[in-house]
Amino acid sequence: MGYGQHQSFYLRDRWLNKAIRHLEIDERFFYDKEAFEKIGLGKNMVQSLRYWVVATGVVEEVFNEDRKKVHKITELGRLIFEYDRFVKLQDTAAILHYQMVKEKEPSTAWYWYFNYFNETIITKDNLLSELILWVEKNESKPVSERSLKRDIDCLVKLYTAGQNTSDPEEVIQSPLNKTKLVEEKKGIVYKRTTSISDIGLSALMYVLLDYKTLHGVSNISVDDLVNQPALWGKVFNMKRSAIVNALNELTQNPIYNLTFIRTNNLDLIRIPEITPYEFLQQEYRRKVGVTK
């Protein structure tokens, strides 16, 4: 179960860069008693950052040959650190979001909210109640309401911190703010319908390639893209019309090598033979000159 592990701190701008810089030197940095002084964050913030680097897929927690836990930078983490370490690109923010919601662990509340919770407008209190009900039905062990409330508060902050410039506590925004996936106004939470420009074609293509790798598929139907967990419609709250428009843009551009197949009146998308990381590196090399 992945609940309440963020210490109530949402991911801040530049945190991922800070973590990767230190983990390049010491894979057991998060177990260093002086880590908080070295990185310039409070002790609880360091524990929160340990969660966020794993949740966003830039780091994986594994055991070394001495059976001690270490944090290894992933291929994705190295690419982001090299080309977009301050998460300036929409695509990078969208990919980090996707990494969080594509699987149940370690960010279960996020996984539930984007993949299974269908309401787009709800009060924060009712959102908590819905999460409690879902957890009771789907978890074998009880989860404290306090942990679930922290998750809902953090989920909303992760996407909205920085939207309200009059709030002094929102001076530091989250890198996921730019996805515009969630808004909060007067205690009401809105799951926004996103456009291609909110997410980015590179991120959408990355999701297809990663989904292919994880599930061993070569073709995906438009219906799956709309309705299946961990695909565009759920992850990014995209409508069918936006998904079709994105597919048209991707198939018409030879860079992406994506093709439509029509069989028995079913629209299928054939996913090219390239790993998500090879593709992402090509995209970063193509775009990075503009952002650096």
Side-chain angles (χ1 to χ4, degrees):
M1 296 184 294
Y3 301 100
Q5 299 176 25
H6 41 70
Q7 309 292 315
S8 297
F9 294 105
Y10 63 87
L11 177 65
R12 265 66 167 179
D13 271 345
R14 300 178 182 259
W15 271 18
L16 296 181
N17 172 58
K18 282 175 176 278
I20 292 174
R21 277 196 296 111
H22 285 280
L23 289 171
E24 277 199 312
I25 300 168
D26 180 9
E27 291 181 336
R28 283 185 54 79
F29 171 75
F30 284 113
Y31 301 100
D32 185 339
K33 292 181 180 179
E34 298 178 356
F36 70 99
E37 292 183 348
K38 293 178 180 179
I39 203 168
L41 297 172
K43 289 183 178 179
N44 288 343
M45 283 188 170
V46 172
Q47 290 301 308
S48 176
L49 181 52
R50 174 182 164 185
Y51 160 77
W52 287 116
V53 293
V54 174
T56 54
V58 300
V59 166
E60 60 180 346
E61 189 174 84
V62 296
F63 288 97
N64 65 10
E65 60 274 9
D66 298 320
R67 301 303 298 165
K68 292 182 177 180
K69 281 187 178 181
V70 296
H71 289 87
K72 289 188 173 292
I73 303 165
T74 62
E75 286 187 77
L76 175 63
R78 293 197 179 280
L79 285 172
I80 291 174
F81 186 68
E82 180 177 358
Y83 294 104
D84 193 21
R85 64 182 61 182
F86 300 125
V87 193
K88 294 179 180 179
L89 294 171
Q90 292 290 133
D91 300 272
T92 303
I95 288 169
L96 293 172
H97 161 75
Y98 161 72
Q99 291 291 140
M100 287 190 61
V101 308
K102 71 177 183 178
E103 295 175 326
K104 188 176 180 181
E105 300 281 355
S107 307
T108 308
W110 280 257
Y111 173 80
W112 162 77
Y113 179 68
F114 287 98
N115 288 297
Y116 291 100
F117 184 66
N118 294 321
E119 299 295 324
T120 56
I121 303 174
I122 191 170
T123 66
K124 191 187 283 189
D125 288 343
N126 286 342
L127 184 59
L128 173 60
S129 297
E130 292 289 340
L131 177 59
I132 291 170
L133 288 173
W134 184 85
V135 168
E136 289 174 348
K137 291 179 181 177
N138 291 277
E139 298 289 5
S140 57
K141 295 181 180 179
V143 180
S144 74
E145 184 174 325
R146 184 178 177 186
S147 289
L148 298 179
K149 184 179 186 305
R150 285 201 297 261
D151 274 348
I152 292 298
D153 289 341
C154 191
L155 185 155
V156 173
K157 280 287 187 185
L158 183 66
Y159 300 97
T160 62
Q163 288 179 3
N164 181 7
T165 55
S166 64
D167 186 342
E169 293 194 6
E170 291 192 8
V171 172
I172 303 175
Q173 67 182 31
S174 160
L176 271 64
N177 167 286
K178 59 174 59 68
T179 63
K180 302 175 184 176
L181 278 159
V182 178
E183 289 183 346
E184 183 190 12
K185 296 177 183 177
K186 298 180 179 179
I188 299 176
V189 180
Y190 301 82
K191 187 191 295 184
R192 288 189 64 255
T193 300
T194 58
S195 64
I196 298 171
S197 60
D198 292 326
I199 307 304
L201 287 175
S202 300
L204 293 172
M205 190 69 185
Y206 174 90
V207 170
L208 288 182
L209 294 168
D210 191 58
Y211 190 89
K212 173 185 179 179
T213 301
L214 292 174
H215 299 277
V217 298
S218 296
N219 303 321
I220 294 179
S221 71
V222 175
D223 285 343
D224 283 345
L225 280 175
V226 174
N227 299 311
Q228 281 297 311
L231 286 172
W232 298 355
K234 294 293 188 181
V235 170
F236 301 121
N237 198 33
M238 293 182 75
K239 299 300 183 187
R240 178 181 285 268
S241 57
I243 288 172
V244 171
N245 288 340
L247 288 171
N248 286 334
E249 289 196 34
L250 287 169
T251 54
Q252 289 171 15
N253 192 328
I255 291 174
Y256 301 107
N257 197 26
L258 200 69
T259 54
F260 265 125
I261 311 169
R262 294 183 182 275
T263 55
N264 298 325
N265 298 319
L266 182 65
D267 289 337
L268 294 176
I269 300 94
R270 177 176 290 161
I271 308 170
E273 295 294 331
I274 185 173
T275 72
Y277 309 113
E278 289 170 336
F279 166 77
L280 191 59
Q281 184 174 49
Q282 291 175 9
E283 287 295 276
Y284 276 143
R285 286 175 173 171
R286 192 167 62 85
K287 294 180 177 185
V288 76
V290 179
T291 60
K292 275 192 174 180

